[in-house]
Coordinates of all heavy atoms in Angstrom, one line a residue:
V1535 N 182.1 190.3 274.7 CA 181.1 189.5 275.4 C 181.1 190.0 276.9 O 180.0 190.1 277.5 CB 181.5 188.0 275.4 CG1 180.5 187.2 276.2 CG2 181.4 187.6 273.9
D1536 N 182.2 190.3 277.5 CA 182.2 190.8 278.9 C 181.4 192.0 279.0 O 180.6 192.2 279.9 CB 183.7 191.1 279.3 CG 184.5 189.9 279.5 OD1 184.0 188.8 279.4 OD2 185.7 190.0 279.6
Q1537 N 181.5 192.9 278.0 CA 180.7 194.2 278.1 C 179.2 193.9 277.8 O 178.4 194.7 278.3 CB 181.2 195.2 277.0 CG 182.6 195.6 277.3 CD 182.7 196.3 278.7 OE1 181.9 197.1 279.0 NE2 183.7 195.9 279.4
C1538 N 178.9 192.8 277.2 CA 177.5 192.5 276.9 C 176.8 191.7 278.0 O 175.7 191.4 278.0 CB 177.3 191.7 275.6 SG 177.9 192.6 274.2
T1539 N 177.7 191.2 278.9 CA 177.2 190.3 280.0 C 176.5 191.2 281.1 O 177.0 192.2 281.5 CB 178.3 189.6 280.6 OG1 179.1 188.9 279.6 CG2 177.8 188.5 281.6
P1540 N 175.2 190.8 281.5 CA 174.6 191.5 282.6 C 175.4 191.5 283.8 O 176.2 190.6 284.0 CB 173.3 190.8 282.7 CG 173.1 190.1 281.4 CD 174.4 189.8 280.9
P1541 N 175.2 192.5 284.7 CA 176.1 192.5 285.9 C 176.1 191.2 286.7 O 177.1 190.9 287.3 CB 175.4 193.6 286.7 CG 174.7 194.5 285.7 CD 174.3 193.6 284.6
L1542 N 175.0 190.5 286.7 CA 175.0 189.3 287.5 C 176.0 188.2 287.0 O 176.3 187.3 287.7 CB 173.6 188.7 287.5 CG 172.5 189.5 288.3 CD1 171.2 188.8 288.1 CD2 172.9 189.6 289.7
L1543 N 176.4 188.4 285.7 CA 177.3 187.4 285.1 C 178.7 187.9 284.9 O 179.4 187.4 284.1 CB 176.7 186.9 283.8 CG 175.3 186.3 283.9 CD1 174.9 185.8 282.5 CD2 175.3 185.1 284.8
N1544 N 179.0 189.0 285.5 CA 180.3 189.7 285.3 C 181.5 189.1 286.0 O 182.6 189.5 285.7 CB 180.2 191.2 285.6 CG 179.9 192.0 284.4 OD1 180.0 191.6 283.3 ND2 179.5 193.2 284.6
S1545 N 181.3 188.2 286.9 CA 182.4 187.6 287.6 C 183.3 186.7 286.7 O 182.8 185.8 286.0 CB 181.9 186.7 288.8 OG 182.9 186.0 289.3
P1546 N 184.6 187.0 286.6 CA 185.4 186.2 285.7 C 185.5 184.7 286.2 O 186.0 183.9 285.4 CB 186.8 186.9 285.8 CG 186.8 187.6 287.1 CD 185.3 188.0 287.4
T1547 N 185.1 184.4 287.4 CA 185.2 183.0 287.8 C 183.9 182.3 287.6 O 183.8 181.1 287.9 CB 185.5 183.0 289.3 OG1 184.5 183.7 290.1 CG2 186.9 183.6 289.6
D1548 N 182.9 183.0 287.1 CA 181.6 182.4 286.9 C 181.6 181.6 285.5 O 181.0 182.0 284.6 CB 180.5 183.4 286.9 CG 179.1 182.8 287.0 OD1 179.0 181.5 286.9 OD2 178.1 183.5 287.2
V1549 N 182.3 180.5 285.5 CA 182.5 179.7 284.3 C 181.2 179.2 283.7 O 181.0 179.3 282.5 CB 183.5 178.6 284.5 CG1 183.7 177.8 283.3 CG2 184.8 179.1 285.1
D1550 N 180.4 178.7 284.6 CA 179.1 178.1 284.1 C 178.3 179.2 283.4 O 177.6 179.0 282.4 CB 178.3 177.5 285.3 CG 179.0 176.2 285.8 OD1 179.8 175.7 285.0 OD2 178.8 175.9 286.9
A1551 N 178.2 180.4 284.1 CA 177.4 181.5 283.5 C 178.0 181.9 282.2 O 177.2 182.2 281.2 CB 177.4 182.6 284.5
R1552 N 179.3 182.0 282.1 CA 179.9 182.4 280.8 C 179.6 181.3 279.7 O 179.4 181.6 278.5 CB 181.4 182.6 280.9 CG 181.7 183.8 281.8 CD 183.2 184.0 282.0 NE 183.4 185.2 282.8 CZ 183.6 186.4 282.3 NH1 183.4 186.6 281.0 NH2 183.8 187.4 283.1
H1553 N 179.7 180.0 280.1 CA 179.4 179.0 279.1 C 177.9 179.1 278.7 O 177.6 178.9 277.5 CB 179.6 177.6 279.8 CG 179.3 176.5 278.8 ND1 180.2 176.1 277.8 CD2 178.3 175.6 278.7 CE1 179.7 175.1 277.2 NE2 178.5 174.8 277.7
H1554 N 177.0 179.4 279.6 CA 175.6 179.6 279.3 C 175.4 180.7 278.3 O 174.7 180.6 277.3 CB 174.8 179.9 280.5 CG 173.4 180.1 280.3 ND1 172.5 179.1 280.2 CD2 172.7 181.3 280.2 CE1 171.3 179.6 280.0 NE2 171.4 180.9 280.0
L1555 N 176.1 181.8 278.5 CA 176.0 183.0 277.6 C 176.6 182.7 276.2 O 176.1 183.0 275.2 CB 176.8 184.2 278.2 CG 177.0 185.4 277.3 CD1 175.6 186.0 277.0 CD2 177.9 186.4 277.9
R1556 N 177.7 181.9 276.2 CA 178.4 181.7 274.9 C 177.8 180.6 274.1 O 177.6 180.8 272.9 CB 179.9 181.3 275.3 CG 180.7 181.2 274.0 CD 182.1 180.8 274.5 NE 183.0 180.6 273.4 CZ 184.3 180.2 273.5 NH1 184.8 179.9 274.6 NH2 185.1 180.1 272.4
R1557 N 177.5 179.5 274.7 CA 177.0 178.4 273.9 C 175.6 178.1 274.0 O 175.1 177.2 273.2 CB 177.8 177.1 274.4 CG 179.3 177.2 274.2 CD 179.7 177.3 272.7 NE 181.1 177.3 272.5 CZ 181.7 177.5 271.4 NH1 181.0 177.8 270.3 NH2 183.0 177.5 271.3
G1558 N 174.8 178.7 274.8 CA 173.4 178.4 275.0 C 173.3 177.5 276.3 O 174.2 177.5 277.1
R1559 N 172.2 176.8 276.3 CA 172.0 176.0 277.5 C 172.9 174.8 277.6 O 172.8 173.9 276.7 CB 170.5 175.5 277.5 CG 169.5 176.7 277.6 CD 168.1 176.2 277.5 NE 167.2 177.3 277.5 CZ 165.8 177.1 277.4 NH1 165.3 175.9 277.2 NH2 165.0 178.1 277.4
P1560 N 173.7 174.7 278.6 CA 174.7 173.5 278.7 C 173.9 172.2 278.9 O 174.5 171.2 278.5 CB 175.5 173.8 280.0 CG 175.2 175.3 280.3 CD 173.9 175.6 279.7
D1561 N 172.7 172.3 279.4 CA 172.0 171.0 279.7 C 171.3 170.5 278.4 O 170.7 169.5 278.5 CB 171.0 171.2 280.8 CG 170.0 172.3 280.5 OD1 170.4 173.2 279.7 OD2 168.8 172.3 280.9
K1562 N 171.4 171.2 277.3 CA 170.7 170.8 276.1 C 171.7 170.8 274.9 O 171.7 171.7 274.1 CB 169.5 171.6 275.8 CG 168.4 171.4 276.8 CD 167.1 172.2 276.3 CE 166.0 171.9 277.3 NZ 164.7 172.6 276.8
P1563 N 172.7 169.9 274.9 CA 173.7 170.0 273.9 C 173.1 169.7 272.5 O 172.2 168.9 272.4 CB 174.7 168.8 274.3 CG 173.9 167.9 275.1 CD 172.9 168.8 275.8
A1564 N 173.7 170.4 271.5 CA 173.2 170.2 270.1 C 173.7 168.8 269.6 O 174.7 168.3 270.0 CB 173.8 171.3 269.2
K1565 N 172.9 168.2 268.7 CA 173.2 167.0 268.1 C 174.5 167.2 267.3 O 174.5 168.0 266.4 CB 172.1 166.4 267.3 CG 170.8 166.1 268.1 CD 169.7 165.5 267.3 CE 168.5 165.1 268.1 NZ 167.4 164.6 267.2
T1566 N 175.5 166.3 267.5 CA 176.7 166.4 266.8 C 176.5 166.4 265.3 O 177.1 167.1 264.5 CB 177.7 165.4 267.2 OG1 177.8 165.4 268.7 CG2 179.1 165.5 266.6
T1567 N 175.7 165.4 264.8 CA 175.5 165.2 263.4 C 174.9 166.5 262.8 O 175.3 167.0 261.7 CB 174.6 164.0 263.1 OG1 175.1 162.9 263.7 CG2 174.4 163.8 261.6
D1568 N 173.8 167.0 263.4 CA 173.1 168.2 262.9 C 174.1 169.4 262.9 O 174.1 170.2 261.9 CB 171.9 168.5 263.7 CG 170.8 167.5 263.5 OD1 170.9 166.7 262.6 OD2 169.9 167.5 264.4
K1569 N 174.9 169.5 263.9 CA 175.8 170.6 264.0 C 176.8 170.6 262.9 O 177.1 171.6 262.3 CB 176.5 170.6 265.4 CG 177.3 171.9 265.7 CD 177.8 171.9 267.1 CE 178.6 173.1 267.4 NZ 179.1 173.1 268.8
M1570 N 177.4 169.4 262.7 CA 178.4 169.2 261.6 C 177.8 169.5 260.3 O 178.4 170.2 259.4 CB 179.0 167.8 261.7 CG 180.1 167.6 260.6 SD 181.5 168.7 260.8 CE 182.2 168.1 262.4
R1571 N 176.6 169.0 260.0 CA 175.9 169.2 258.8 C 175.7 170.7 258.5 O 175.9 171.2 257.4 CB 174.6 168.5 258.7 CG 173.8 168.6 257.4 CD 172.4 168.2 257.5 NE 171.7 169.0 258.5 CZ 170.5 168.7 259.0 NH1 169.9 167.6 258.6 NH2 169.9 169.5 259.8
N1572 N 175.2 171.4 259.5 CA 175.0 172.8 259.4 C 176.2 173.6 259.1 O 176.3 174.6 258.3 CB 174.3 173.4 260.6 CG 172.8 173.0 260.8 OD1 172.2 172.6 259.8 ND2 172.3 173.1 262.0
R1573 N 177.4 173.2 259.7 CA 178.6 173.9 259.5 C 179.1 173.7 258.0 O 179.5 174.6 257.4 CB 179.7 173.4 260.4 CG 179.5 173.9 261.9 CD 180.7 173.4 262.7 NE 180.6 173.9 264.1 CZ 181.0 175.0 264.5 NH1 181.6 175.8 263.6 NH2 180.9 175.4 265.7
I1574 N 178.9 172.5 257.5 CA 179.3 172.2 256.1 C 178.4 173.0 255.2 O 178.9 173.6 254.2 CB 179.2 170.7 255.9 CG1 180.3 169.9 256.7 CG2 179.5 170.4 254.4 CD1 180.2 168.4 256.6
V1575 N 177.1 172.9 255.4 CA 176.2 173.6 254.5 C 176.4 175.1 254.6 O 176.5 175.8 253.5 CB 174.7 173.3 254.9 CG1 173.8 174.2 254.1 CG2 174.4 171.8 254.6
G1576 N 176.7 175.6 255.8 CA 176.9 177.1 255.9 C 178.2 177.5 255.2 O 178.3 178.5 254.6
F1577 N 179.3 176.6 255.3 CA 180.5 177.0 254.7 C 180.3 177.0 253.1 O 180.8 177.9 252.5 CB 181.6 175.9 255.0 CG 182.9 176.1 254.3 CD1 183.8 177.1 254.6 CD2 183.2 175.4 253.2 CE1 185.0 177.3 253.9 CE2 184.4 175.5 252.5 CZ 185.2 176.5 252.9
W1578 N 179.6 176.0 252.6 CA 179.3 176.0 251.2 C 178.6 177.2 250.7 O 178.9 177.9 249.7 CB 178.6 174.7 250.8 CG 178.0 174.8 249.4 CD1 176.7 174.7 249.1 CD2 178.7 175.0 248.2 NE1 176.5 174.8 247.7 CE2 177.8 175.0 247.1 CE3 180.1 175.1 247.9 CZ2 178.1 175.1 245.8 CZ3 180.4 175.3 246.5 CH2 179.5 175.3 245.5
H1579 N 177.5 177.6 251.5 CA 176.8 178.8 251.1 C 177.6 180.1 251.2 O 177.4 181.0 250.4 CB 175.5 178.9 252.0 CG 174.4 177.9 251.6 ND1 173.5 177.5 252.5 CD2 174.2 177.3 250.5 CE1 172.7 176.6 251.9 NE2 173.0 176.5 250.7
N1580 N 178.5 180.1 252.2 CA 179.3 181.3 252.2 C 180.2 181.4 251.0 O 180.5 182.5 250.5 CB 180.2 181.2 253.5 CG 179.4 181.6 254.8 OD1 178.4 182.3 254.7 ND2 179.8 181.0 255.9
V1581 N 180.7 180.3 250.5 CA 181.5 180.3 249.3 C 180.6 180.7 248.1 O 181.0 181.5 247.3 CB 182.2 178.9 249.0 CG1 182.9 178.9 247.7 CG2 183.1 178.6 250.2
K1582 N 179.5 180.0 248.0 CA 178.6 180.2 246.9 C 178.1 181.6 246.7 O 178.0 182.2 245.6 CB 177.4 179.3 247.0 CG 176.4 179.3 245.8 CD 175.3 178.3 246.0 CE 174.3 178.4 244.9 NZ 173.2 177.4 245.1
Y1583 N 177.7 182.3 247.9 CA 177.1 183.6 247.8 C 178.1 184.7 248.1 O 177.7 185.9 248.3 CB 175.9 183.7 248.8 CG 174.8 182.7 248.4 CD1 174.6 181.6 249.1 CD2 174.1 183.0 247.2 CE1 173.6 180.7 248.7 CE2 173.1 182.1 246.8 CZ 172.8 181.0 247.6 OH 171.9 180.1 247.2
G1584 N 179.4 184.4 248.0 CA 180.4 185.5 247.9 C 180.8 186.1 249.2 O 181.4 187.1 249.2
S1585 N 180.5 185.5 250.4 CA 181.0 186.1 251.6 C 182.3 185.5 252.1 O 182.8 185.9 253.1 CB 180.0 185.9 252.7 OG 178.9 185.3 252.4
W1586 N 182.8 184.5 251.4 CA 184.1 183.9 251.8 C 185.2 184.4 251.0 O 185.0 184.6 249.8 CB 184.0 182.4 251.7 CG 185.3 181.7 252.0 CD1 185.7 181.3 253.3 CD2 186.3 181.3 251.1 NE1 186.9 180.7 253.2 CE2 187.4 180.7 251.9 CE3 186.5 181.5 249.8 CZ2 188.5 180.3 251.3 CZ3 187.7 181.0 249.2 CH2 188.7 180.4 250.0
S1587 N 186.2 184.8 251.6 CA 187.4 185.3 250.9 C 188.6 185.1 251.7 O 188.6 185.1 252.9 CB 187.2 186.8 250.5 OG 188.3 187.3 249.9
V1588 N 189.7 184.9 251.0 CA 191.0 184.8 251.7 C 191.3 186.2 252.4 O 191.8 186.2 253.5 CB 192.1 184.4 250.7 CG1 193.5 184.5 251.4 CG2 191.9 183.0 250.2
K1589 N 191.0 187.3 251.7 CA 191.2 188.6 252.2 C 190.1 189.0 253.1 O 188.9 189.0 252.6 CB 191.5 189.6 251.1 CG 191.8 191.0 251.6 CD 192.2 191.9 250.5 CE 192.6 193.3 251.0 NZ 192.9 194.2 249.9
L1590 N 190.3 189.3 254.3 CA 189.2 189.6 255.3 C 189.2 191.0 255.7 O 188.3 191.4 256.5 CB 189.3 188.7 256.5 CG 189.3 187.2 256.2 CD1 189.5 186.4 257.5 CD2 188.0 186.8 255.5
K1591 N 190.0 191.9 255.2 CA 190.1 193.2 255.7 C 189.9 194.2 254.5 O 190.3 194.0 253.4 CB 191.4 193.5 256.4 CG 191.7 192.6 257.5 CD 193.0 193.1 258.3 CE 194.2 193.0 257.4 NZ 194.6 191.7 257.0
S1592 N 189.4 195.4 254.9 CA 189.4 196.5 253.9 C 190.4 197.6 254.5 O 190.5 197.7 255.7 CB 188.0 197.1 253.8 OG 187.1 196.3 253.2
N1593 N 191.0 198.3 253.6 CA 192.0 199.3 254.0 C 191.3 200.6 254.2 O 190.4 201.1 253.5 CB 193.1 199.5 252.9 CG 193.9 198.2 252.8 OD1 194.2 197.6 253.8 ND2 194.4 198.0 251.6
F1594 N 191.7 201.3 255.3 CA 191.2 202.7 255.6 C 192.4 203.6 255.6 O 193.5 203.3 256.2 CB 190.6 202.7 257.0 CG 189.2 202.1 257.0 CD1 189.0 200.7 257.2 CD2 188.1 202.8 256.8 CE1 187.8 200.1 257.1 CE2 186.8 202.3 256.8 CZ 186.7 200.9 257.0
H1595 N 192.3 204.7 255.0 CA 193.4 205.7 254.8 C 193.3 206.6 256.0 O 192.3 207.2 256.3 CB 193.2 206.5 253.5 CG 194.5 207.1 253.0 ND1 195.2 207.9 253.8 CD2 195.1 207.0 251.8 CE1 196.3 208.3 253.1 NE2 196.2 207.8 251.9
K1596 N 194.5 206.8 256.7 CA 194.5 207.6 257.9 C 194.4 209.1 257.5 O 194.0 209.9 258.4 CB 195.9 207.4 258.6 CG 196.0 206.1 259.3 CD 197.3 206.0 260.1 CE 197.3 204.7 260.9 NZ 198.6 204.7 261.7
K1597 N 194.6 209.5 256.3 CA 194.5 210.9 255.9 C 193.2 211.2 255.2 O 193.1 212.3 254.5 CB 195.7 211.2 255.0 CG 197.0 211.1 255.8 CD 198.2 211.5 254.9 CE 199.5 211.3 255.7 NZ 200.7 211.7 254.9
K1598 N 192.2 210.4 255.4 CA 190.9 210.7 254.9 C 189.9 210.5 256.0 O 189.9 209.5 256.8 CB 190.5 209.7 253.7 CG 191.5 209.8 252.5 CD 191.3 211.0 251.7 CE 192.2 211.0 250.5 NZ 192.1 212.2 249.7
A1599 N 188.9 211.4 256.1 CA 187.9 211.3 257.2 C 187.0 210.2 256.9 O 186.7 209.8 255.8 CB 187.1 212.6 257.2
I1600 N 186.5 209.5 258.0 CA 185.6 208.4 257.9 C 184.2 208.9 258.5 O 184.2 209.5 259.6 CB 186.0 207.2 258.7 CG1 187.4 206.7 258.2 CG2 185.0 206.1 258.6 CD1 188.0 205.7 259.1
F1601 N 183.2 208.7 257.7 CA 181.8 209.1 258.2 C 181.0 207.8 258.4 O 180.9 206.9 257.5 CB 181.1 210.0 257.2 CG 181.6 211.4 257.2 CD1 182.7 211.7 256.3 CD2 181.1 212.3 258.0 CE1 183.2 213.0 256.3 CE2 181.6 213.6 258.0 CZ 182.7 214.0 257.1
L1602 N 180.5 207.6 259.6 CA 179.7 206.4 259.9 C 178.4 206.9 260.6 O 178.3 207.3 261.7 CB 180.5 205.6 260.9 CG 179.8 204.2 261.3 CD1 179.8 203.3 260.1 CD2 180.5 203.6 262.5
L1603 N 177.3 206.9 259.8 CA 176.0 207.2 260.2 C 176.0 208.6 261.0 O 175.7 208.6 262.2 CB 175.4 206.1 261.1 CG 175.1 204.8 260.3 CD1 174.7 203.7 261.2 CD2 174.0 205.0 259.2
S1604 N 176.5 209.6 260.4 CA 176.5 211.0 260.9 C 177.8 211.3 261.7 O 178.1 212.4 262.0 CB 175.3 211.4 261.6 OG 175.2 210.9 262.9
Q1605 N 178.4 210.3 262.2 CA 179.6 210.5 263.1 C 180.9 210.6 262.2 O 181.1 209.8 261.3 CB 179.8 209.3 264.1 CG 178.6 209.1 265.0 CD 178.4 210.3 266.0 OE1 179.4 210.8 266.6 NE2 177.2 210.8 266.1
C1606 N 181.7 211.6 262.5 CA 182.9 211.8 261.7 C 184.1 211.4 262.5 O 184.3 211.8 263.7 CB 183.0 213.3 261.3 SG 184.5 213.7 260.4
Y1607 N 185.0 210.6 261.9 CA 186.2 210.2 262.6 C 187.4 210.7 261.7 O 187.7 210.1 260.6 CB 186.3 208.7 262.7 CG 185.2 208.2 263.6 CD1 184.0 207.8 263.1 CD2 185.3 208.2 265.0 CE1 182.9 207.3 263.9 CE2 184.3 207.7 265.9 CZ 183.1 207.3 265.3 OH 182.1 206.9 266.1
D1608 N 188.0 211.8 262.1 CA 189.0 212.5 261.3 C 190.3 212.7 262.2 O 190.2 213.3 263.2 CB 188.5 213.8 260.8 CG 189.4 214.4 259.8 OD1 190.5 214.0 259.6 OD2 188.9 215.4 259.1
I1609 N 191.4 212.1 261.7 CA 192.6 212.1 262.5 C 193.7 212.9 261.8 O 194.8 213.0 262.3 CB 193.1 210.7 262.8 CG1 193.4 210.0 261.5 CG2 192.1 209.9 263.7 CD1 194.1 208.7 261.7
R1610 N 193.3 213.7 260.8 CA 194.3 214.4 260.0 C 195.1 215.4 260.8 O 196.3 215.5 260.8 CB 193.7 215.0 258.8 CG 193.3 214.0 257.7 CD 192.5 214.6 256.6 NE 191.2 215.0 257.0 CZ 190.3 215.5 256.2 NH1 190.6 215.6 254.9 NH2 189.1 215.9 256.6
E1611 N 194.3 216.2 261.6 CA 194.9 217.3 262.4 C 195.8 216.7 263.5 O 196.9 217.2 263.7 CB 193.8 218.1 263.0 CG 194.4 219.3 263.8 CD 193.3 220.2 264.4 OE1 192.1 220.0 264.0 OE2 193.6 221.0 265.3
A1612 N 195.3 215.6 264.1 CA 196.2 214.9 265.1 C 197.4 214.4 264.5 O 198.5 214.4 265.2 CB 195.3 213.8 265.8

Side-chain angles (χ1 to χ4, degrees):
V1535 177
D1536 291 348
Q1537 293 303 313
C1538 300
T1539 308
L1542 293 176
L1543 301 182
N1544 265 344
S1545 170
T1547 59
D1548 194 349
V1549 178
D1550 292 335
R1552 289 176 182 276
H1553 180 77
H1554 178 82
L1555 173 65
R1556 183 181 183 186
R1557 299 295 185 189
R1559 298 178 182 176
D1561 57 331
K1562 292 187 177 181
K1565 293 182 179 179
T1566 304
T1567 304
D1568 292 343
K1569 188 174 182 180
M1570 181 60 68
R1571 182 193 63 190
N1572 287 341
R1573 286 182 178 275
I1574 294 173
V1575 172
F1577 175 77
W1578 165 242
H1579 283 155
N1580 285 334
V1581 174
K1582 181 178 179 180
Y1583 295 107
S1585 2
W1586 177 85
S1587 175
V1588 174
K1589 185 176 182 181
L1590 300 179
K1591 301 187 299 295
S1592 292
N1593 292 328
F1594 286 85
H1595 202 307
K1596 287 185 177 180
K1597 296 182 180 179
K1598 302 288 184 181
I1600 302 171
F1601 287 90
L1602 183 70
L1603 295 172
S1604 80
Q1605 300 294 311
C1606 178
Y1607 298 92
D1608 192 348
I1609 61 173
R1610 288 173 293 185
E1611 183 178 346

